[in-house]
Amino acid sequence: MANSKYEYVKKFETDDRLPPSSWIVVRIDGCHFHQFSAEHAFEKPNDENALNLMNSCAVSMLEQFPDIVFAYGVSDEYSFIWKETTQFYQRRSSKLLSLSVSYFTSVYVMKWKEFFPHKELKGPPYFDGRVVCYPRAKIVQDYLAWRQVDCHINNQYNTCFWMLVKSGKTQREAQELLKGTQAKDKNELLFQQFNVNYDKLPQMFRKGSCVYRKKVEEVVKLDDTGNPVTRTRSKVVVEHMDIIGPKFWSELPYILKEECD
């Protein structure tokens, strides 16, 4: 950049580089998505196409930004875990946040027709975001456990709420009926009134979505005798499982492997 008398304005910029040797979580959240989902007639309590669209955007994020090692999503929210050693844009918070939010939003718009071929996008979707640093992988695991617990609590409530509304209750009546209820009460309500076993609902609804790189065997060609030739490669996958307990993390330790002392 050429020198000029106006360069003094740069002194007002702040250094927003995030602390070194820490895991970076970028969480994005849909803005006014209650209105957006109503305008586009999303199925309640869960619209499978809308969730799969969010998941597809998250896959694109991991493909675009190699330093994202894991993502977890539920409803209109996604958390992206950047590895502790990343030097992407010198770890500047403003760059990490703005690029994450803008890229995710752009992909959401571009992929809309793939998941809603018969629905026009009536208004621009937009997301807010925040950045938080965590010094240890264990704290990142606890953060993700917190989000998955929230997924269960919110989904169980919303499932009961919308089943009541669809059965003829007003929204106010449904809220009053659910006030003060515990998890076991909601499970009983679903089973006794609607013959719904909550534990049999799709895992994507109950547990959210995990996006990460997984080593998979893929057929690359057939040999001269017609037998498949396979290669192991890293592929971004979407899965729905428990990440609160230690099993997932002990089986895939490379995801949150700590490289800094």
Side-chain angles (χ1 to χ4, degrees):
M1 182 181 295
N3 293 327
S4 77
K5 66 179 182 179
Y6 303 111
E7 281 198 45
Y8 76 93
V9 299
K10 292 167 61 179
K11 294 188 295 184
F12 294 93
E13 296 182 10
T14 57
D15 184 354
D16 64 348
R17 284 176 291 183
L18 296 168
S21 305
S22 59
W23 298 87
I24 300 170
V25 176
V26 176
R27 184 165 83 244
I28 68 171
D29 207 347
C31 255
H32 302 299
F33 255 59
H34 288 295
Q35 177 182 337
F36 182 86
S37 62
E39 187 177 13
H40 293 89
F42 283 3
E43 180 68 25
K44 300 294 186 181
N46 294 288
D47 189 299
E48 191 169 353
N49 289 328
L51 293 174
N52 284 329
L53 171 55
M54 292 285 291
N55 293 341
S56 183
C57 293
V59 169
S60 294
M61 287 283 288
L62 267 73
E63 292 173 342
Q64 179 68 19
F65 303 113
D67 284 357
I68 297 176
V69 297
F70 189 82
Y72 176 75
V74 55
S75 186
D76 60 347
E77 170 193 306
Y78 244 102
S79 296
F80 297 96
I81 315 300
W82 293 72
K83 65 182 183 181
E84 60 178 343
T85 56
T86 185
Q87 291 300 318
F88 189 64
Y89 277 96
Q90 296 80 50
R91 299 174 67 92
R92 291 169 59 188
S93 175
S94 57
K95 290 288 189 179
L96 286 165
L97 183 58
S98 60
L99 284 168
S100 297
V101 172
S102 63
Y103 188 79
F104 190 96
T105 306
S106 298
V107 174
Y108 191 97
V109 173
M110 290 182 65
K111 287 179 174 284
W112 175 266
K113 276 296 183 181
E114 182 180 337
F115 294 90
F116 294 103
H118 306 299
K119 285 186 181 181
E120 292 297 326
L121 187 58
K122 298 179 180 180
Y126 54 105
F127 299 81
D128 62 32
R130 69 199 69 191
V131 178
V132 183
C133 287
Y134 296 103
R136 293 287 180 266
K138 178 60 172 67
I139 304 177
V140 176
Q141 291 179 27
D142 288 346
Y143 166 83
L144 292 166
W146 168 52
R147 300 318 305 137
Q148 189 165 66
V149 168
D150 258 23
C151 170
H152 163 69
I153 293 172
N154 292 334
N155 184 68
Q156 189 184 45
Y157 179 91
N158 289 334
T159 301
C160 292
F161 177 84
W162 286 107
M163 291 293 284
L164 288 167
V165 170
K166 289 177 181 181
S167 71
K169 302 292 184 185
T170 66
Q171 293 193 14
R172 182 179 293 276
E173 288 171 338
Q175 289 170 348
E176 287 299 318
L177 282 169
L178 293 173
K179 186 179 295 183
T181 56
Q182 303 298 314
K184 64 178 182 179
D185 302 322
K186 296 183 181 71
N187 282 340
E188 189 175 336
L189 181 151
L190 288 171
F191 189 73
Q192 290 190 351
Q193 293 196 32
F194 305 107
N195 198 29
V196 171
N197 184 337
Y198 182 78
D199 291 336
K200 299 296 184 182
L201 294 177
Q203 285 196 324
M204 179 167 63
F205 301 164
R206 295 184 291 113
K207 296 184 181 296
S209 300
C210 303
V211 184
Y212 62 99
R213 295 177 187 86
K214 186 176 185 179
K215 294 188 186 324
V216 296
E217 291 282 335
E218 290 194 342
V219 176
V220 293
K221 64 178 181 179
L222 299 178
D223 63 18
D224 294 338
T225 60
N227 294 318
V229 177
T230 62
R231 294 285 186 272
T232 301
R233 74 178 188 89
S234 179
K235 182 180 180 181
V236 178
V237 298
V238 180
E239 296 182 346
H240 318 285
M241 75 284 285
D242 176 74
I243 55 173
I244 297 173
K247 185 174 184 291
F248 175 80
W249 302 109
S250 62
E251 290 179 351
L252 300 170
Y254 64 87
I255 294 178
L256 294 181
K257 181 180 179 182
E258 293 184 315
E259 301 178 21
C260 298
D261 294 331

